[in-house]
């Protein structure tokens, strides 16, 4: 039950900060207006209109009594003059006449006023009557059937109806619309810096360059933006340092290694020398791996790249080397990536698949927000409990470090580094072709 209620709340609450804060401001205004309007109409306006109707009905009742006693014409004149001067009532007496039924179709305020007046007349006059409301000329006329004729009473609408209700509502809605507009403008300015920060953080997470922006907005937002920019700078510097160091060390190690190799070459061809040579070969490949990795990372900027074309190139090159690779692409997998690093990642994964299987299947699919690339092979695969280990640097399932069965153990760690720096994910699965399935996703 609790869960469901939360779901309903979520469904009706706007999802953006802008929408939510607007609701926080607007909802009380609307609620207040509804309550005020209700109280105003129920208590004040209705009661006042009722009293006005009561007064008019009372006066009409007195007039009806007077006219029913068959007064002489002078008295009729006197009463009419008296009523028009003091009560704003125009009197007409149709001696011997009968009441004409009029079309009683009122709408809006007039219908409320008319029905209140009708109720009051019924109570006080206690004779058949008709009411006609002339909205345009703002007149109300009442006809009452007396025993000796028809009494016509015409009065201005102002005697029955107070326009202060209209004015009150107009002011109330007018001011609240002004308030809401001001709130919208103000809120937009408050939300903009937060949105900018969110976009920057998202770009950073995906490994794209973050445009410099000035911290703006409320104090807390500015503080968060400043902290983000500092963090971004620190991380950038760290990556730079790491790659520079890696490249430096690898480069420097090459020279003594070359020297060692030369010295070994002069030592002849004993089994010990052979073993040393093999070790040196491994070291050289490691160093090459570091250098490739460092080169891929350093300073490469993300650009919009057609991943399908990149895969086709890779597959064509592998086929020339005699590999059996099946490529299938769904959708249009274009994304903002760092092409060298990304190609290195793909190459590492495909190289593994080629080494361990005889056939490789590459499947790329583009969805709205991500590109998914899966590389399958029909090799022996990796036991599930080793899925995490193979991403660790220098880890190999075959611990003999045989050059034939594997490399240095940096292929997958580098691939993971590249994918993560693009804000993507990489994981292993069991392939339906029997071997290993490596799945990579990157946001577009
Ligand atoms: N497709 C695969 N099938 C079976 N085992 C695999 C597969 N891919 C990787 N592995 C296992 O994971 C280990 C680590 O792979 P990784 O690519 O990191 O290193 P490597 O291939 O041994 O060396 P490098 O790629 O640096 O030359 C491999 O040694 C291998 O044991
Ligand atoms: Mg490898």
């Amino acid at each position: 039950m609790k869960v469901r209620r939360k779901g309903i709340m979520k469904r009706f609450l706007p999802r953006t900060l802008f929408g939510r804060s607007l609701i926080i401001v607007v909802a009380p205004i609307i609620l207040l207006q509804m309550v005020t309007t209700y109280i105003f109409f129920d208590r004040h306006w209705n009661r006042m209109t009722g009293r006005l109707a009561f007064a008019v009905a009372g006066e009409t009742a007195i007039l009806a009594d007077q006219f029913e006693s068959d007064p002489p014409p002078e008295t009729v004149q006197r009463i009419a003059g008296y009523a028009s001067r003091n009560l704003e009532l125009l009197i007409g007496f149709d001696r011997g006449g009968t009441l004409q039924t009029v079309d009683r179709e009122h709408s809006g305020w007039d219908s409320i006023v008319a029905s209140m007046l009708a109720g009051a007349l019924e109570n006080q006059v206690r004779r058949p009557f008709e009411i006609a409301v002339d909205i345009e000329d703002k007149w109300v006329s009442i006809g009452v059937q007396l025993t000796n004729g028809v009494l016509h009473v015409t009065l201005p609408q102002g005697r029955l109806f107070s326009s202060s209700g209209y004015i009150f509502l107009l002011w109330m809605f007018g001011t609240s619309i002004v308030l809401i507009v001001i709130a919208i403008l103000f809120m937009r300015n408050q939300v903009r810096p937060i949105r900018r920060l969110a976009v920057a953080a998202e770009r950073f997470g995906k490994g794209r360059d973050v445009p410099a922006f000035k911290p703006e907005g409320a104090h807390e937002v500015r503080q968060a933006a400043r902290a983000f920019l500092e963090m971004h700078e620190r991380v950038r510097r760290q990556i730079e340092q790491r790659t520079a160091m890696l490249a430096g060390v690898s480069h420097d190690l090459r020279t003594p290694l070359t020297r060692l190799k030369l010295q070994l070459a002069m030592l002849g061809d004993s089994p010990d020398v052979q073993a040393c040579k093999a070790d040196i070969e491994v070291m050289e490949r490691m160093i090459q791996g570091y250098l490739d990795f460092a080169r891929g990372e350093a300073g490469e900027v993300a650009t919009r790249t057609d991943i399908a074309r990149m895969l086709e190139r890779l597959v064509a090159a592998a086929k020339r080397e005699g590999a059996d690779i099946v490529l299938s692409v769904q959708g249009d997998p274009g994304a903002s990536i760092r092409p060298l690093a990304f190609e290195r990642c793909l190459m590492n994964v495909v190289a593994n698949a080629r080494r361990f299987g005889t056939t490789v299947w590459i499947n790329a699919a583009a969805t709205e927000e991500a590109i998914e690339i899966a590389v399958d092979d029909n090799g022996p695969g990796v036991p599930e409990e080793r899925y995490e280990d193979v991403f660790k640097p220098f880890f190999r399932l075959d611990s003999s470090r045989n050059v034939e069965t594997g490399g240095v153990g940096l292929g997958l760690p580098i691939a993971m580094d590249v994918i993560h720096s693009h804000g993507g994910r990489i994981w292993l699965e069991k392939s339906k072709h029997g071997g290993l399935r490596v799945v990579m996703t990157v946001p577009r």
Side-chain angles (χ1 to χ4, degrees), residues 18-224:
F18 179 69
R20 286 189 182 184
S21 34
L22 206 61
I23 282 239
I24 293 172
V25 174
V26 169
I29 294 183
I30 291 177
L31 205 72
L32 185 74
Q33 278 195 345
M34 272 160 47
V35 171
T36 321
T37 310
Y38 174 75
I39 291 177
F40 177 77
F41 276 96
D42 191 54
R43 287 290 155 104
H44 179 75
W45 198 83
N46 273 356
R47 187 172 293 180
M48 207 175 71
T49 311
R51 293 251 166 94
L52 289 173
F54 179 81
V56 169
E59 286 152 18
T60 311
I62 294 173
L63 289 168
D65 284 347
Q66 294 292 319
F67 281 91
E68 199 147 59
S69 61
D70 254 335
E74 316 83 72
T75 319
V76 171
Q77 285 257 305
R78 197 161 46 78
I79 295 175
Y82 182 71
S84 100
R85 258 194 322 274
N86 299 311
L87 302 173
E88 279 189 281
L89 301 180
L90 294 182
I91 307 292
F93 184 51
D94 176 14
R95 203 179 289 271
T98 44
L99 192 59
Q100 301 286 313
T101 28
V102 286
D103 200 5
R104 242 205 245 186
E105 253 194 45
H106 309 300
S107 61
W109 304 110
D110 307 301
S111 81
I112 301 175
V113 173
S115 72
M116 278 200 178
L117 181 59
L121 286 172
E122 238 158 63
N123 276 337
Q124 289 167 267
V125 179
R126 276 181 249 101
R127 293 172 177 92
F129 64 88
E130 281 296 338
I131 301 169
V133 180
D134 187 339
I135 311 169
E136 253 135 68
D137 294 334
K138 298 191 177 0
W139 286 96
V140 178
S141 49
I142 305 168
V144 182
Q145 179 69 65
L146 308 178
T147 47
N148 54 346
V150 176
L151 169 67
H152 292 287
V153 180
T154 309
L155 53 137
Q157 234 181 34
R159 279 227 51 196
L160 281 173
F161 171 77
S162 152
S163 61
S164 65
Y166 274 138
I167 294 169
F168 173 78
L169 284 188
L170 217 72
W171 268 100
M172 204 166 68
F173 284 118
T175 42
S176 48
I177 284 172
V178 170
L179 275 182
I180 290 173
V181 168
I182 290 175
I184 288 176
L185 293 178
F186 189 71
M187 218 82 81
R188 266 235 300 264
N189 282 341
Q190 293 304 303
V191 169
R192 198 178 304 132
I194 300 178
R195 196 176 297 146
R196 200 180 303 148
L197 177 60
V199 168
E202 199 184 345
R203 288 185 66 90
F204 183 49
K206 290 179 182 173
R208 299 175 190 168
D209 58 323
V210 176
F213 62 93
K214 205 165 133 261
E216 273 177 355
H219 176 70
E220 290 86 346
V221 179
R222 216 177 284 203
Q223 198 176 357

Side-chain angles (χ1 to χ4, degrees), residues 352 355-356 377 381-382 390 395-397 407-413 436:
N352 284 349
R355 186 187 299 142
F356 292 100
D377 65 63
V382 172
V390 293
F395 182 88
R396 293 176 43 186
L397 284 184
V408 192
L410 276 177
L412 287 178
L436 188 70

